[in-house]
Amino acid sequence: DNTRVGHLMSRIVNDLRDISELAHHGPEDVFIASLMLIGSFLYLITINVQLTLIAFVFVPFIGWYAIRMRHRMSEAFRLERERIAEVNADLENSLSGMRVAKSYTNEDYEMNRFDNANVNFREARVRAFKHMAEYTSGLDFLTNLLNVAVLGAGGLYMYYGIIDLADLTAYLMFISFFLQPIRRLTAFTQQYQQGMSGFRRFVELMEINPEIVESPQAVPLAEVKGHIQLNNVSFEYHERAPVLHDVNLDIEPGKTIALVGPSGGGKTTLCHLIPRFYDVTKGEILIDGKDIRDLELYSLRKNIGLVQQDVFLFTGSIKDNILYGNPTASDAEVIEAAKNADIHEYIMGLPEQYDTYVGERGVMLSGGQKQRISIARAFLKNPPVLILDEATSALDNVTEYIIQKSLDK
Ligand code: ADP
Ligand code: MG
């Protein structure tokens, strides 16, 4: 309820990519660089010990600089990641509400919102690049200083005849083999920053405990008769905002009951308590005499069909959406379910019939058609307990009557 879809998408896509990049290239880079560093050091020391020691004096400085900058860069990359998640979330929101935006002619408002998120993102990115620039140019400066020192000392040594021209030439050529792994290792630290900040954010996400947990002693719900009891059930989404207060209900197997009440009265909430999308704050809900908190979630939900008030259709064909109720059903069963939901004839009139694409969230269908497809989906599941949350609100009386008769059947 409290997390934005765009945020989750950003974490799953971007953060995981950074982690896999690190896992893929990191070990290889470290291995090759260390081998080159040790190998070139050993080789250089056979040519001239003093020059090599001069060169190595710089290594602690380079290391110190890299580590000092690491922290700042890591913070900057983390901020950048957070801001891009914000952009993604805003964009997701604006795109899915596009019709509302257009009908209220709020394109400028949406544009502004997008711009604001982008400005924030750019700010963070500029900062990240600034730190990166300081980091790479600082390192370049230090390694070039190392080069100059070796060149100067080598020239001096040759002048005094400590080293001959051939050795100095070989030395200067091989010093680049020595610098290459240093650069490689510093490039690795940057990849490490990105990968680890992605990893930290991903761990944060994975450490969130679901509020609904199955008890270790949970038993499966089998051979359901459908006796549902609510005993003194109270429920609140947030403290001090109670929705249900001391509700008692006894629904015998095979009975159909209707809940009538004002909008915002808690009807949908009650529907969501039975499949345990939320846990009751007080009291208990029993199915066939067993507290639903002692049942395996999978088996509980397997036995409950819920047609929700805000119908959700998946992107795909009509058939895919009905099949969602029971993916192993045959074509004949799908057609039977569609007939019962009084949508078969409409589907047969479409050019591609059951394979017709419904668009994202079913935008290509009318409200009533979407409702009937979601009812067909529930019919195909054919569960012992069926909950309809204003499932026929968008249907005309005749269609509603046909569906009620199918329900009775
Ligand atoms: P009904 O279906 O009877 O119209 P609901 O069960 O949807 O009513 O809502 C009952 C109350 O619970 C409303 O006051 C609503 O604001 C609140 N509510 C519904 N869903 C949530 C939620 N996910 N988080 C917080 N409050 C909610
Ligand atoms: Mg409702």
Side-chain angles (χ1 to χ4, degrees):
D1 287 352
N2 301 322
T3 312
R4 302 181 69 181
V5 173
H7 271 245
L8 293 178
M9 284 177 40
S10 176
R11 286 190 177 193
I12 292 168
V13 176
N14 294 336
D15 293 353
L16 284 185
R17 193 193 47 222
D18 285 346
I19 298 169
S20 63
E21 280 292 300
L22 174 63
H24 181 181
H25 295 296
E28 166 191 311
D29 278 354
V30 170
F31 178 71
I32 296 177
S34 326
L35 218 60
M36 278 177 83
L37 203 62
I38 295 167
S40 59
F41 175 71
L42 290 177
Y43 186 76
L44 288 174
I45 215 158
T46 59
I47 303 178
N48 190 295
V49 178
Q50 277 161 308
L51 277 183
T52 309
L53 289 180
I54 290 174
F56 253 73
V57 165
F58 285 86
V59 172
F61 287 107
I62 295 176
W64 169 78
Y65 186 76
I67 289 165
R68 206 180 73 103
M69 294 302 287
R70 241 178 67 169
H71 182 67
R72 269 201 248 167
M73 231 164 64
S74 154
E75 273 299 301
F77 275 116
R78 199 180 54 76
L79 193 70
E80 189 203 311
R81 283 265 168 273
E82 268 167 28
R83 298 275 169 87
I84 193 67
E86 210 61 47
V87 173
N88 276 335
D90 274 357
L91 201 58
E92 193 271 341
N93 209 16
S94 309
L95 288 178
S96 36
M98 189 188 290
R99 284 187 182 173
V100 181
K102 280 187 192 278
S103 68
Y104 285 88
T105 56
N106 276 346
E107 287 94 338
D108 286 344
Y109 172 78
E110 290 296 329
M111 206 76 105
N112 273 338
R113 216 166 55 165
F114 182 59
D115 280 348
N116 285 342
N118 258 327
V119 165
N120 284 339
F121 169 58
R122 193 181 59 191
E123 224 170 63
R125 203 160 165 79
V126 164
R127 195 176 312 164
F129 274 131
K130 190 166 164 280
H131 287 312
M132 210 163 113
E134 284 169 8
Y135 175 75
T136 47
S137 51
L139 278 175
D140 276 355
F141 176 71
L142 286 173
T143 49
N144 284 330
L145 215 58
L146 185 155
N147 251 336
V148 169
V150 170
L151 198 65
L156 218 59
Y157 281 10
M158 205 177 77
Y159 181 76
Y160 290 113
I162 301 172
I163 187 171
D164 62 22
L165 182 62
D167 272 357
L168 183 63
T169 315
Y171 199 91
L172 290 176
M173 274 170 69
F174 272 96
I175 195 86
S176 67
F177 276 105
F178 175 65
L179 294 177
Q180 212 184 320
I182 295 184
R183 278 169 206 272
R184 202 164 177 149
L185 279 177
T186 53
F188 166 76
T189 54
Q190 184 199 330
Q191 194 176 49
Y192 181 80
Q193 285 333 308
Q194 282 176 347
M196 286 313 278
S197 56
F199 182 64
R200 236 167 277 134
R201 279 162 50 85
F202 192 70
V203 167
E204 249 171 49
L205 185 69
M206 296 308 285
E207 276 179 349
I208 297 173
N209 286 323
E211 275 170 35
I212 304 295
V213 282
E214 200 173 87
S215 93
Q217 294 92 31
V219 292
L221 180 65
E223 287 165 45
V224 186
K225 293 187 190 64
H227 187 197
I228 300 173
Q229 288 164 287
L230 275 73
N231 296 332
N232 304 316
V233 167
S234 296
F235 179 76
E236 57 196 27
Y237 287 101
H238 310 287
E239 263 172 62
R240 284 175 298 145
V243 179
L244 301 174
H245 183 70
D246 258 343
V247 177
N248 284 288
L249 267 178
D250 191 340
I251 309 168
E252 301 277 338
K255 266 268 173 76
T256 302
I257 73 141
L259 276 174
V260 183
S263 111
K267 304 181 294 294
T268 299
T269 304
L270 192 86
C271 293
H272 286 171
L273 288 178
I274 297 172
R276 242 191 122 194
F277 292 149
Y278 303 92
D279 269 338
V280 296
T281 319
K282 258 198 275 161
E284 54 178 9
I285 298 179
L286 310 177
I287 289 191
D288 292 348
K290 290 179 222 112
D291 192 319
I292 56 170
R293 280 168 297 197
D294 299 329
L295 296 172
E296 281 175 10
L297 273 178
Y298 177 83
S299 70
L300 173 69
R301 291 179 184 163
K302 191 90 195 151
N303 285 298
I304 296 173
L306 175 61
V307 180
Q308 280 178 289
Q309 187 169 13
D310 42 350
V311 173
F312 187 92
L313 294 190
F314 292 95
T315 311
S317 68
I318 291 180
K319 190 177 155 191
D320 292 341
N321 270 293
I322 298 178
L323 267 180
Y324 208 80
N326 176 12
T328 57
S330 67
D331 283 0
E333 287 169 313
V334 170
I335 291 171
E336 175 72 20
K339 278 185 180 155
N340 285 333
D342 195 34
I343 185 82
H344 176 69
E345 270 162 46
Y346 165 74
I347 296 172
M348 294 313 280
L350 294 168
E352 291 183 71
Q353 301 180 342
Y354 278 86
D355 292 322
T356 306
Y357 176 69
V358 300
E360 185 140 328
R361 292 176 201 180
V363 285
M364 295 178 186
L365 300 170
S366 81
Q369 287 158 355
K370 279 192 278 196
Q371 270 194 340
R372 279 182 283 167
I373 289 176
S374 74
I375 292 170
R377 183 194 278 166
F379 278 152
L380 194 64
K381 185 176 181 181
N382 195 16
V385 178
L386 184 61
I387 302 170
L388 305 175
D389 189 2
E390 303 194 28
T392 53
S393 59
L395 302 181
D396 56 88
N397 290 345
V398 180
T399 315
E400 190 171 356
Y401 179 70
I402 293 170
I403 292 177
Q404 273 170 9
K405 284 223 303 217
S406 307
L407 275 172
D408 289 340
K409 220 173 18 181

